[in-house]
Amino acid sequence: MSKLISLIIGYVLTFLIIMAYYKINNIRTPFSNWGGWKKDVKLKEKFIISFILQIPVFIIFVIL
């Protein structure tokens, strides 16, 4: 149960960091209101953001 809570907290922090990066740099956010991708997001940007969102899983299940 502890790993699950840590994973959820990790995802929330990662998502907030991504959103803060886009807000600080005045770039349009890549997510729609329901969490999907917007139509103008390039494939390269999707890969980078998807990789960043997998960091909490790597930390929780591989390192810990």
Side-chain angles (χ1 to χ4, degrees):
M1 192 66 163
S2 173
K3 284 189 177 186
L4 180 63
I5 293 171
S6 299
L7 185 64
I8 292 171
I9 291 171
Y11 272 127
V12 169
L13 288 175
T14 306
F15 185 76
L16 290 176
I17 289 170
I18 290 171
M19 295 306 289
Y21 171 79
Y22 280 96
K23 295 282 184 186
I24 290 170
N25 292 320
N26 292 326
I27 306 172
R28 55 102 187 96
T29 57
F31 303 113
S32 66
N33 291 338
W34 294 100
W37 299 107
K38 287 186 178 177
K39 294 187 183 222
D40 61 342
V41 179
K42 296 180 181 176
L43 185 62
K44 181 180 176 183
E45 188 176 4
K46 287 180 185 179
F47 280 139
I48 293 170
I49 293 174
S50 296
F51 176 75
I52 292 171
L53 285 173
Q54 296 306 312
I55 291 173
V57 173
F58 179 75
I59 291 172
I60 297 298
F61 291 120
V62 177
I63 295 178
L64 297 179

